């Protein structure tokens, strides 16, 4: 299943700061017709997936708090895989975190600000700016461990480095022995910026995750309670 | 195989700063305040533009000790200014590990004819522009970000508005132009035809367009963002206000929520005094005239 067509999943992009426009262009490239910009908690309603873009994670954290989006997203992105929410809880929301977005979903952040909060949904320890300052920022081709295919062109910009991952985390790509693209349940995260290169495989993978998840767990809006019950039985 | 210093990597950092506020700071303490308030980056310099304007004399690159102190103090990217054409200052700044160099008209120009050839550097550059021709010339020299110049150190937004309107207005006109007319545009702008043709087809600059020079309030930030700026630089406007911490976070909020007047109103309440500022007849030298 792909994200193409009007019946594809509804993807939100956190639009507080960062390279929102590039993610928007990437989603359009692969035929996502319903993309929404998320600036406040109400914008999360009806989403099948959320992208946390690149930007400055300290700035994003502050703006997430002041808008109330931090709590609203945290409710939908529980620690661990997020694939088995409690009964009665809102269905978990698939998240793609790129660069700063990886920092925001990680369980533990080193060299961040002491008051920096994260969603902690991804069982990983990351170090902010782990690859160094801007003059050390780089481009590289990385090999995807699953599904093979050609190497993925990537751009790392003052990127966070994944220092360790928990047993539930799947490493989808490494660069020089360090995980750079990881997945745990509904969380997909990368240290690089798939939105800055023309290769759309990471966005496609995410949109597929969102589409699959939506079929399993539809949004429980009041009007579609019956559908939700039907879906639960299907589980 | 990894490659550093490519244009994609340089432009990429500019992309990451979009929707944010870059704040001028003169010491580590101010840098911490800026970071706490949500700045996406700080500009390390010895004097804010309002003081450079007041003090006169030759304004140069800052002392490396000051820049290193600020790099140590914060986790966000650090920018620093080099004089127009002073590639040796830029080399020094790159060796210090700054994340972005501002080839800035706020400092006294070192070269009356040429800007720095920015292509050989691994560090990205931002350059000021008052019109599209200047912006495209800086791009042809390798700038990874353009900022409209405004008039630094005045706290008067009028120049920033003029420069932004000039740049975005010309872009709109070029987008609508007949392809044969693009050669005339290139001649009129004093800019490479290739960049003019690229603008014609994409409708936007190939790098982010930020705004600088005169932003002193949250509403100023909301104004320039609505006029097409993708982020803002605030120089004297924060640390020359009566309550820098609150002014800094209010401008961050207003920049992120520039399309929401209620939010801008909320963060504008009771901020104390904005920087005093200068009316146009009081400027003395127009710093924006520096650069060629």
């Amino acid at each position: 299943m792909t994200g193409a067509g009007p019946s594809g999943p509804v993807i939100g992009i956190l639009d507080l700061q960062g390279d929102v426009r590039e993610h928007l262009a990437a989603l359009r490239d692969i035929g996502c017709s319903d993309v929404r910009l998320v600036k406040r908690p109400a914008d999360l309603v009806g989403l099948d997936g959320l992208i946390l873009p690149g930007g400055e994670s300290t700035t994003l954290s502050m703006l997430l708090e002041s808008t109330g989006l931090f709590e609203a997203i945290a409710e939908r992105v529980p620690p661990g895989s997020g694939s088995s929410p409690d009964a009665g809880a809102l269905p978990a929301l698939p998240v793609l975190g790129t660069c700063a977005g990886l920092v925001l979903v990680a369980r533990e952040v080193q060299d961040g600000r002491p008051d920096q909060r994260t969603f902690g949904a991804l069982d990983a320890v990351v170090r902010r700016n782990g690859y160094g300052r801007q003059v050390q920022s780089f481009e590289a081709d990385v090999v995807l461990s699953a599904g093979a295919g050609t190497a993925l062109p990537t751009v790392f910009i003052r990127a966070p480095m994944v220092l360790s991952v928990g047993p539930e985390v799947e490493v989808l790509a490494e660069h020089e022995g360090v995980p750079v693209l990881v997945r745990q349940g509904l969380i997909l995260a990368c240290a690089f910026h798939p939105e800055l290169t023309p290769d759309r495989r990471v966005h496609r993978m995410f949109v597929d995750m969102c589409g699959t998840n939506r079929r399993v767990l539809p949004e429980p809006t009041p009007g579609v309670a019956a559908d939700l019950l039907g879906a639960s039985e299907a589980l | 195989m990894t490659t550093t210093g490519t244009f994609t990597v340089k432009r990429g950092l500019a992309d990451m700063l979009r929707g944010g506020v870059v704040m001028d700071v003169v010491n580590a303490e101010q840098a911490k305040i800026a970071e706490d308030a949500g700045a996406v980056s700080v500009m390390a310099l010895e004097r804010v533009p309002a003081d450079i304007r007041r003090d006169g004399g030759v304004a140069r690159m800052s002392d490396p000790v000051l820049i290193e102190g600020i790099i140590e103090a914060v986790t966000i990217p650090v920018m620093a200014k080099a004089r127009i054409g002073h590639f040796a200052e830029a080399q020094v700044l790159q060796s210090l590990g700054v994340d972005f160099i501002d080839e800035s008209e706020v400092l006294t120009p070192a070269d009356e004819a040429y800007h720095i050839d920015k292509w050989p550097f691994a560090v990205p550059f931002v350059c000021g522009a008052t019109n599209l021709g200047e912006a495209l010339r800086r791009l042809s020299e390798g700038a990874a970000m353009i900022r409209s110049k405004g008039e630094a150190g005045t706290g008067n937004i009028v120049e920033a508005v003029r420069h932004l309107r000039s740049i975005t207005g010309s872009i709109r006109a070029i987008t609508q132009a007949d392809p044969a007319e693009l050669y005339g545009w290139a001649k009129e702008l004093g800019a490479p035809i290739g960049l003019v043709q690229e603008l014609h087809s994409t409708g936007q600059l190939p790098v982010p367009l930020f705004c600088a020079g005169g932003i002193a309030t949250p509403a100023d930030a909301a104004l320039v963002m609505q006029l097409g700026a993708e982020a803002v630089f605030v120089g004297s406007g924060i640390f020359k206000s009566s309550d820098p911490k609150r002014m800094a976070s209010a401008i961050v909020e207003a920049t992120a929520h520039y399309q929401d007047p209620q939010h801008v109103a909320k963060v504008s309440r009771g901020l104390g005094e904005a920087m005093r500022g200068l009316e146009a007849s009081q400027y003395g030298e127009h710093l924006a005239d520096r650069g060629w």
Side-chain angles (χ1 to χ4, degrees), chain A residues 17-18 21-22 39-40 59 62 66 113 128-129 133-134 139 158, chain B residues 2-3 6 9 16 18 36-38 75 97 99 230 253 256 260:
Chain A
Q17 191 272 315
R21 197 168 75 193
E22 280 70 19
K39 280 185 175 285
R40 53 200 66 251
T59 304
M62 197 205 98
S66 68
R113 294 166 42 80
R128 276 190 74 207
N129 307 330
R133 305 193 66 83
Q134 173 61 14
E139 292 186 67
R158 287 173 50 94
Chain B
T2 67
T3 323
T6 64
V9 160
M16 296 314 138
R18 287 214 306 260
D36 289 347
T75 63
D99 298 292
E230 296 178 273
E253 290 281 342
D260 181 351

PDB file of all heavy atoms in Angstrom, chain A residues 17-18 21-22 39-40 59 62 66 113 128-129 133-134 139 158, chain B residues 2-3 6 9 16 18 36-38 75 97 99 230 253 256 260:
ATOM      1  N   GLN A  17       8.967  25.361  13.851  1.00  0.00           N
ATOM      2  CA  GLN A  17      10.277  25.862  13.440  1.00  0.00           C
ATOM      3  C   GLN A  17      10.963  24.726  12.702  1.00  0.00           C
ATOM      4  O   GLN A  17      10.736  23.563  13.013  1.00  0.00           O
ATOM      5  CB  GLN A  17      11.103  26.279  14.681  1.00  0.00           C
ATOM      6  CG  GLN A  17      12.382  27.064  14.400  1.00  0.00           C
ATOM      7  CD  GLN A  17      13.569  26.133  14.158  1.00  0.00           C
ATOM      8  OE1 GLN A  17      13.759  25.179  14.887  1.00  0.00           O
ATOM      9  NE2 GLN A  17      14.338  26.412  13.129  1.00  0.00           N
ATOM     10  N   GLY A  18      11.782  25.055  11.697  1.00  0.00           N
ATOM     11  CA  GLY A  18      12.574  24.033  11.029  1.00  0.00           C
ATOM     12  C   GLY A  18      12.227  23.878   9.557  1.00  0.00           C
ATOM     13  O   GLY A  18      11.549  24.719   8.975  1.00  0.00           O
ATOM     14  N   ARG A  21       9.018  22.973   4.996  1.00  0.00           N
ATOM     15  CA  ARG A  21       8.740  23.049   3.565  1.00  0.00           C
ATOM     16  C   ARG A  21       9.308  21.843   2.807  1.00  0.00           C
ATOM     17  O   ARG A  21       8.678  21.329   1.889  1.00  0.00           O
ATOM     18  CB  ARG A  21       9.350  24.346   3.012  1.00  0.00           C
ATOM     19  CG  ARG A  21       8.809  24.746   1.662  1.00  0.00           C
ATOM     20  CD  ARG A  21       9.233  26.148   1.334  1.00  0.00           C
ATOM     21  NE  ARG A  21      10.634  26.199   0.956  1.00  0.00           N
ATOM     22  CZ  ARG A  21      11.345  27.323   0.849  1.00  0.00           C
ATOM     23  NH1 ARG A  21      10.794  28.475   1.130  1.00  0.00           N
ATOM     24  NH2 ARG A  21      12.601  27.295   0.480  1.00  0.00           N
ATOM     25  N   GLU A  22      10.480  21.380   3.183  1.00  0.00           N
ATOM     26  CA  GLU A  22      11.108  20.253   2.502  1.00  0.00           C
ATOM     27  C   GLU A  22      10.327  18.964   2.753  1.00  0.00           C
ATOM     28  O   GLU A  22      10.190  18.127   1.860  1.00  0.00           O
ATOM     29  CB  GLU A  22      12.566  20.082   2.948  1.00  0.00           C
ATOM     30  CG  GLU A  22      13.542  21.040   2.277  1.00  0.00           C
ATOM     31  CD  GLU A  22      13.383  22.472   2.720  1.00  0.00           C
ATOM     32  OE1 GLU A  22      12.794  22.723   3.790  1.00  0.00           O
ATOM     33  OE2 GLU A  22      13.847  23.378   1.986  1.00  0.00           O
ATOM     34  N   LYS A  39       0.271  23.320  14.315  1.00  0.00           N
ATOM     35  CA  LYS A  39       0.757  24.432  15.129  1.00  0.00           C
ATOM     36  C   LYS A  39       0.184  24.420  16.534  1.00  0.00           C
ATOM     37  O   LYS A  39       0.675  25.104  17.419  1.00  0.00           O
ATOM     38  CB  LYS A  39       0.397  25.763  14.466  1.00  0.00           C
ATOM     39  CG  LYS A  39       1.346  26.159  13.343  1.00  0.00           C
ATOM     40  CD  LYS A  39       0.997  27.548  12.805  1.00  0.00           C
ATOM     41  CE  LYS A  39       1.997  28.015  11.765  1.00  0.00           C
ATOM     42  NZ  LYS A  39       3.284  28.439  12.345  1.00  0.00           N
ATOM     43  N   ARG A  40      -0.931  23.705  16.737  1.00  0.00           N
ATOM     44  CA  ARG A  40      -1.540  23.637  18.057  1.00  0.00           C
ATOM     45  C   ARG A  40      -2.236  22.292  18.235  1.00  0.00           C
ATOM     46  O   ARG A  40      -2.430  21.566  17.257  1.00  0.00           O
ATOM     47  CB  ARG A  40      -2.495  24.817  18.269  1.00  0.00           C
ATOM     48  CG  ARG A  40      -3.547  24.974  17.175  1.00  0.00           C
ATOM     49  CD  ARG A  40      -4.127  26.380  17.167  1.00  0.00           C
ATOM     50  NE  ARG A  40      -3.095  27.346  16.790  1.00  0.00           N
ATOM     51  CZ  ARG A  40      -2.530  28.228  17.591  1.00  0.00           C
ATOM     52  NH1 ARG A  40      -2.879  28.292  18.866  1.00  0.00           N
ATOM     53  NH2 ARG A  40      -1.621  29.051  17.156  1.00  0.00           N
ATOM     54  N   THR A  59      14.718  24.924  20.580  1.00  0.00           N
ATOM     55  CA  THR A  59      13.652  25.851  20.201  1.00  0.00           C
ATOM     56  C   THR A  59      12.331  25.093  20.079  1.00  0.00           C
ATOM     57  O   THR A  59      11.294  25.537  20.583  1.00  0.00           O
ATOM     58  CB  THR A  59      13.994  26.511  18.847  1.00  0.00           C
ATOM     59  OG1 THR A  59      15.268  27.135  18.957  1.00  0.00           O
ATOM     60  CG2 THR A  59      12.947  27.539  18.459  1.00  0.00           C
ATOM     61  N   MET A  62      10.824  24.231  23.431  1.00  0.00           N
ATOM     62  CA  MET A  62      10.193  25.382  24.082  1.00  0.00           C
ATOM     63  C   MET A  62       8.831  25.688  23.465  1.00  0.00           C
ATOM     64  O   MET A  62       7.843  25.918  24.165  1.00  0.00           O
ATOM     65  CB  MET A  62      11.120  26.587  23.938  1.00  0.00           C
ATOM     66  CG  MET A  62      10.787  27.704  24.881  1.00  0.00           C
ATOM     67  SD  MET A  62      11.361  29.282  24.215  1.00  0.00           S
ATOM     68  CE  MET A  62       9.845  29.874  23.492  1.00  0.00           C
ATOM     69  N   SER A  66       5.002  25.684  25.070  1.00  0.00           N
ATOM     70  CA  SER A  66       4.164  26.885  25.170  1.00  0.00           C
ATOM     71  C   SER A  66       2.859  26.747  24.395  1.00  0.00           C
ATOM     72  O   SER A  66       1.888  27.427  24.685  1.00  0.00           O
ATOM     73  CB  SER A  66       4.944  28.135  24.724  1.00  0.00           C
ATOM     74  OG  SER A  66       5.210  28.070  23.339  1.00  0.00           O
ATOM     75  N   ARG A 113      19.959  20.428  26.785  1.00  0.00           N
ATOM     76  CA  ARG A 113      19.783  21.324  27.909  1.00  0.00           C
ATOM     77  C   ARG A 113      19.207  20.504  29.064  1.00  0.00           C
ATOM     78  O   ARG A 113      18.457  19.563  28.848  1.00  0.00           O
ATOM     79  CB  ARG A 113      18.836  22.455  27.539  1.00  0.00           C
ATOM     80  CG  ARG A 113      19.415  23.380  26.471  1.00  0.00           C
ATOM     81  CD  ARG A 113      18.326  24.246  25.917  1.00  0.00           C
ATOM     82  NE  ARG A 113      17.455  24.723  26.975  1.00  0.00           N
ATOM     83  CZ  ARG A 113      17.739  25.742  27.765  1.00  0.00           C
ATOM     84  NH1 ARG A 113      18.849  26.415  27.610  1.00  0.00           N
ATOM     85  NH2 ARG A 113      16.906  26.091  28.717  1.00  0.00           N
ATOM     86  N   ARG A 128      23.238  15.024  21.311  1.00  0.00           N
ATOM     87  CA  ARG A 128      23.012  16.176  20.431  1.00  0.00           C
ATOM     88  C   ARG A 128      24.318  16.583  19.790  1.00  0.00           C
ATOM     89  O   ARG A 128      25.370  16.602  20.435  1.00  0.00           O
ATOM     90  CB  ARG A 128      22.472  17.371  21.227  1.00  0.00           C
ATOM     91  CG  ARG A 128      20.979  17.329  21.416  1.00  0.00           C
ATOM     92  CD  ARG A 128      20.494  18.642  21.990  1.00  0.00           C
ATOM     93  NE  ARG A 128      20.504  19.704  21.004  1.00  0.00           N
ATOM     94  CZ  ARG A 128      20.637  20.993  21.289  1.00  0.00           C
ATOM     95  NH1 ARG A 128      20.807  21.385  22.522  1.00  0.00           N
ATOM     96  NH2 ARG A 128      20.601  21.885  20.333  1.00  0.00           N
ATOM     97  N   ASN A 129      24.262  16.969  18.522  1.00  0.00           N
ATOM     98  CA  ASN A 129      25.438  17.409  17.784  1.00  0.00           C
ATOM     99  C   ASN A 129      26.581  16.402  17.902  1.00  0.00           C
ATOM    100  O   ASN A 129      27.750  16.777  17.931  1.00  0.00           O
ATOM    101  CB  ASN A 129      25.923  18.789  18.275  1.00  0.00           C
ATOM    102  CG  ASN A 129      24.812  19.839  18.269  1.00  0.00           C
ATOM    103  OD1 ASN A 129      23.893  19.773  17.455  1.00  0.00           O
ATOM    104  ND2 ASN A 129      24.869  20.788  19.177  1.00  0.00           N
ATOM    105  N   ARG A 133      30.324  20.063  14.920  1.00  0.00           N
ATOM    106  CA  ARG A 133      29.748  21.347  14.538  1.00  0.00           C
ATOM    107  C   ARG A 133      29.480  21.373  13.036  1.00  0.00           C
ATOM    108  O   ARG A 133      29.753  20.412  12.321  1.00  0.00           O
ATOM    109  CB  ARG A 133      30.688  22.482  14.945  1.00  0.00           C
ATOM    110  CG  ARG A 133      31.056  22.465  16.422  1.00  0.00           C
ATOM    111  CD  ARG A 133      31.725  23.750  16.851  1.00  0.00           C
ATOM    112  NE  ARG A 133      30.798  24.861  16.757  1.00  0.00           N
ATOM    113  CZ  ARG A 133      29.899  25.164  17.700  1.00  0.00           C
ATOM    114  NH1 ARG A 133      29.795  24.460  18.795  1.00  0.00           N
ATOM    115  NH2 ARG A 133      29.083  26.195  17.534  1.00  0.00           N
ATOM    116  N   GLN A 134      29.009  22.527  12.541  1.00  0.00           N
ATOM    117  CA  GLN A 134      28.597  22.608  11.140  1.00  0.00           C
ATOM    118  C   GLN A 134      29.709  22.241  10.152  1.00  0.00           C
ATOM    119  O   GLN A 134      29.456  21.591   9.140  1.00  0.00           O
ATOM    120  CB  GLN A 134      28.048  24.010  10.830  1.00  0.00           C
ATOM    121  CG  GLN A 134      27.731  24.271   9.369  1.00  0.00           C
ATOM    122  CD  GLN A 134      26.673  23.338   8.800  1.00  0.00           C
ATOM    123  OE1 GLN A 134      25.971  22.646   9.532  1.00  0.00           O
ATOM    124  NE2 GLN A 134      26.569  23.299   7.479  1.00  0.00           N
ATOM    125  N   GLU A 139      27.721  14.774   3.768  1.00  0.00           N
ATOM    126  CA  GLU A 139      26.866  13.922   2.952  1.00  0.00           C
ATOM    127  C   GLU A 139      27.510  12.557   2.876  1.00  0.00           C
ATOM    128  O   GLU A 139      28.742  12.449   2.821  1.00  0.00           O
ATOM    129  CB  GLU A 139      26.753  14.485   1.528  1.00  0.00           C
ATOM    130  CG  GLU A 139      25.983  15.792   1.435  1.00  0.00           C
ATOM    131  CD  GLU A 139      25.775  16.212  -0.019  1.00  0.00           C
ATOM    132  OE1 GLU A 139      25.034  15.505  -0.725  1.00  0.00           O
ATOM    133  OE2 GLU A 139      26.365  17.226  -0.425  1.00  0.00           O
ATOM    134  N   ARG A 158      24.851  18.979  11.691  1.00  0.00           N
ATOM    135  CA  ARG A 158      24.969  19.070  13.154  1.00  0.00           C
ATOM    136  C   ARG A 158      24.112  17.962  13.768  1.00  0.00           C
ATOM    137  O   ARG A 158      23.317  18.200  14.688  1.00  0.00           O
ATOM    138  CB  ARG A 158      24.525  20.448  13.657  1.00  0.00           C
ATOM    139  CG  ARG A 158      25.521  21.578  13.346  1.00  0.00           C
ATOM    140  CD  ARG A 158      24.979  22.947  13.712  1.00  0.00           C
ATOM    141  NE  ARG A 158      24.458  22.999  15.060  1.00  0.00           N
ATOM    142  CZ  ARG A 158      25.154  23.395  16.142  1.00  0.00           C
ATOM    143  NH1 ARG A 158      26.404  23.823  16.005  1.00  0.00           N
ATOM    144  NH2 ARG A 158      24.611  23.394  17.328  1.00  0.00           N
TER     145      ARG A 158
ATOM    146  N   THR B   2      32.380   9.925   3.099  1.00  0.00           N
ATOM    147  CA  THR B   2      31.637  11.107   3.528  1.00  0.00           C
ATOM    148  C   THR B   2      32.285  12.363   2.956  1.00  0.00           C
ATOM    149  O   THR B   2      33.500  12.419   2.785  1.00  0.00           O
ATOM    150  CB  THR B   2      31.609  11.222   5.062  1.00  0.00           C
ATOM    151  OG1 THR B   2      32.936  11.493   5.509  1.00  0.00           O
ATOM    152  CG2 THR B   2      31.112   9.968   5.721  1.00  0.00           C
ATOM    153  N   THR B   3      31.438  13.346   2.637  1.00  0.00           N
ATOM    154  CA  THR B   3      31.931  14.596   2.080  1.00  0.00           C
ATOM    155  C   THR B   3      31.414  15.762   2.922  1.00  0.00           C
ATOM    156  O   THR B   3      30.207  15.877   3.135  1.00  0.00           O
ATOM    157  CB  THR B   3      31.416  14.776   0.636  1.00  0.00           C
ATOM    158  OG1 THR B   3      31.411  13.502   0.000  1.00  0.00           O
ATOM    159  CG2 THR B   3      32.280  15.742  -0.135  1.00  0.00           C
ATOM    160  N   THR B   6      29.868  20.598   1.416  1.00  0.00           N
ATOM    161  CA  THR B   6      29.152  20.740   0.143  1.00  0.00           C
ATOM    162  C   THR B   6      28.099  21.841   0.274  1.00  0.00           C
ATOM    163  O   THR B   6      27.701  22.215   1.375  1.00  0.00           O
ATOM    164  CB  THR B   6      28.442  19.432  -0.244  1.00  0.00           C
ATOM    165  OG1 THR B   6      27.446  19.156   0.757  1.00  0.00           O
ATOM    166  CG2 THR B   6      29.413  18.267  -0.321  1.00  0.00           C
ATOM    167  N   VAL B   9      25.090  20.715   2.214  1.00  0.00           N
ATOM    168  CA  VAL B   9      25.300  20.726   3.656  1.00  0.00           C
ATOM    169  C   VAL B   9      25.244  22.158   4.197  1.00  0.00           C
ATOM    170  O   VAL B   9      24.678  22.426   5.256  1.00  0.00           O
ATOM    171  CB  VAL B   9      26.667  20.059   3.966  1.00  0.00           C
ATOM    172  CG1 VAL B   9      27.178  20.450   5.324  1.00  0.00           C
ATOM    173  CG2 VAL B   9      26.555  18.546   3.824  1.00  0.00           C
ATOM    174  N   MET B  16      17.439  24.566   8.334  1.00  0.00           N
ATOM    175  CA  MET B  16      17.062  24.157   9.693  1.00  0.00           C
ATOM    176  C   MET B  16      16.722  25.348  10.579  1.00  0.00           C
ATOM    177  O   MET B  16      16.071  25.207  11.598  1.00  0.00           O
ATOM    178  CB  MET B  16      18.193  23.352  10.359  1.00  0.00           C
ATOM    179  CG  MET B  16      18.499  22.053   9.678  1.00  0.00           C
ATOM    180  SD  MET B  16      17.026  21.126   9.273  1.00  0.00           S
ATOM    181  CE  MET B  16      17.461  20.559   7.643  1.00  0.00           C
ATOM    182  N   ARG B  18      15.028  27.938   9.647  1.00  0.00           N
ATOM    183  CA  ARG B  18      13.805  28.626   9.217  1.00  0.00           C
ATOM    184  C   ARG B  18      12.739  28.649  10.319  1.00  0.00           C
ATOM    185  O   ARG B  18      12.607  27.710  11.086  1.00  0.00           O
ATOM    186  CB  ARG B  18      13.254  27.967   7.959  1.00  0.00           C
ATOM    187  CG  ARG B  18      14.105  28.303   6.736  1.00  0.00           C
ATOM    188  CD  ARG B  18      13.257  28.419   5.495  1.00  0.00           C
ATOM    189  NE  ARG B  18      12.476  27.237   5.342  1.00  0.00           N
ATOM    190  CZ  ARG B  18      12.789  26.238   4.522  1.00  0.00           C
ATOM    191  NH1 ARG B  18      13.850  26.319   3.755  1.00  0.00           N
ATOM    192  NH2 ARG B  18      12.044  25.180   4.456  1.00  0.00           N
ATOM    193  N   ASP B  36      17.963  30.099  26.231  1.00  0.00           N
ATOM    194  CA  ASP B  36      16.835  29.805  27.122  1.00  0.00           C
ATOM    195  C   ASP B  36      15.523  30.307  26.530  1.00  0.00           C
ATOM    196  O   ASP B  36      14.460  29.730  26.759  1.00  0.00           O
ATOM    197  CB  ASP B  36      17.038  30.454  28.497  1.00  0.00           C
ATOM    198  CG  ASP B  36      18.124  29.773  29.298  1.00  0.00           C
ATOM    199  OD1 ASP B  36      18.541  28.668  28.903  1.00  0.00           O
ATOM    200  OD2 ASP B  36      18.559  30.346  30.317  1.00  0.00           O
ATOM    201  N   ALA B  37      15.602  31.423  25.804  1.00  0.00           N
ATOM    202  CA  ALA B  37      14.387  32.025  25.251  1.00  0.00           C
ATOM    203  C   ALA B  37      13.945  31.337  23.966  1.00  0.00           C
ATOM    204  O   ALA B  37      12.888  31.646  23.434  1.00  0.00           O
ATOM    205  CB  ALA B  37      14.618  33.518  25.003  1.00  0.00           C
ATOM    206  N   GLY B  38      14.764  30.418  23.455  1.00  0.00           N
ATOM    207  CA  GLY B  38      14.351  29.681  22.263  1.00  0.00           C
ATOM    208  C   GLY B  38      14.987  30.156  20.969  1.00  0.00           C
ATOM    209  O   GLY B  38      14.510  29.809  19.888  1.00  0.00           O
ATOM    210  N   THR B  75      24.445  25.311  23.177  1.00  0.00           N
ATOM    211  CA  THR B  75      24.410  24.108  22.338  1.00  0.00           C
ATOM    212  C   THR B  75      23.869  24.409  20.937  1.00  0.00           C
ATOM    213  O   THR B  75      23.888  23.540  20.065  1.00  0.00           O
ATOM    214  CB  THR B  75      23.502  23.037  22.964  1.00  0.00           C
ATOM    215  OG1 THR B  75      22.158  23.540  23.017  1.00  0.00           O
ATOM    216  CG2 THR B  75      23.951  22.686  24.364  1.00  0.00           C
ATOM    217  N   GLY B  97      35.588  27.323  14.461  1.00  0.00           N
ATOM    218  CA  GLY B  97      34.460  26.388  14.531  1.00  0.00           C
ATOM    219  C   GLY B  97      33.106  27.069  14.558  1.00  0.00           C
ATOM    220  O   GLY B  97      32.115  26.438  14.950  1.00  0.00           O
ATOM    221  N   ASP B  99      29.543  28.227  13.205  1.00  0.00           N
ATOM    222  CA  ASP B  99      28.665  27.435  12.345  1.00  0.00           C
ATOM    223  C   ASP B  99      28.185  28.200  11.115  1.00  0.00           C
ATOM    224  O   ASP B  99      27.730  27.596  10.143  1.00  0.00           O
ATOM    225  CB  ASP B  99      27.460  26.959  13.161  1.00  0.00           C
ATOM    226  CG  ASP B  99      27.883  26.058  14.301  1.00  0.00           C
ATOM    227  OD1 ASP B  99      28.351  24.944  14.026  1.00  0.00           O
ATOM    228  OD2 ASP B  99      27.782  26.486  15.465  1.00  0.00           O
ATOM    229  N   GLU B 230      11.735  34.214   5.984  1.00  0.00           N
ATOM    230  CA  GLU B 230      11.569  32.846   6.484  1.00  0.00           C
ATOM    231  C   GLU B 230      12.097  32.683   7.905  1.00  0.00           C
ATOM    232  O   GLU B 230      11.945  31.618   8.512  1.00  0.00           O
ATOM    233  CB  GLU B 230      12.277  31.873   5.535  1.00  0.00           C
ATOM    234  CG  GLU B 230      11.632  31.891   4.151  1.00  0.00           C
ATOM    235  CD  GLU B 230      12.339  30.981   3.172  1.00  0.00           C
ATOM    236  OE1 GLU B 230      13.315  31.426   2.539  1.00  0.00           O
ATOM    237  OE2 GLU B 230      11.924  29.832   3.055  1.00  0.00           O
ATOM    238  N   GLU B 253       8.177  33.531  19.973  1.00  0.00           N
ATOM    239  CA  GLU B 253       6.771  33.106  19.852  1.00  0.00           C
ATOM    240  C   GLU B 253       6.098  33.773  18.651  1.00  0.00           C
ATOM    241  O   GLU B 253       5.366  33.137  17.894  1.00  0.00           O
ATOM    242  CB  GLU B 253       5.992  33.461  21.130  1.00  0.00           C
ATOM    243  CG  GLU B 253       6.379  32.627  22.341  1.00  0.00           C
ATOM    244  CD  GLU B 253       5.731  31.245  22.323  1.00  0.00           C
ATOM    245  OE1 GLU B 253       4.747  31.044  21.590  1.00  0.00           O
ATOM    246  OE2 GLU B 253       6.230  30.357  23.048  1.00  0.00           O
ATOM    247  N   ALA B 256       7.227  32.244  15.344  1.00  0.00           N
ATOM    248  CA  ALA B 256       6.643  30.922  15.092  1.00  0.00           C
ATOM    249  C   ALA B 256       5.152  31.029  14.756  1.00  0.00           C
ATOM    250  O   ALA B 256       4.635  30.244  13.972  1.00  0.00           O
ATOM    251  CB  ALA B 256       6.850  30.013  16.302  1.00  0.00           C
ATOM    252  N   ASP B 260      -0.903  34.388  13.513  1.00  0.00           N
ATOM    253  CA  ASP B 260      -1.934  34.345  14.549  1.00  0.00           C
ATOM    254  C   ASP B 260      -1.871  35.629  15.392  1.00  0.00           C
ATOM    255  O   ASP B 260      -1.160  35.691  16.392  1.00  0.00           O
ATOM    256  CB  ASP B 260      -1.685  33.101  15.424  1.00  0.00           C
ATOM    257  CG  ASP B 260      -2.721  32.935  16.517  1.00  0.00           C
ATOM    258  OD1 ASP B 260      -3.539  33.859  16.729  1.00  0.00           O
ATOM    259  OD2 ASP B 260      -2.711  31.880  17.170  1.00  0.00           O
TER     260      ASP B 260
END
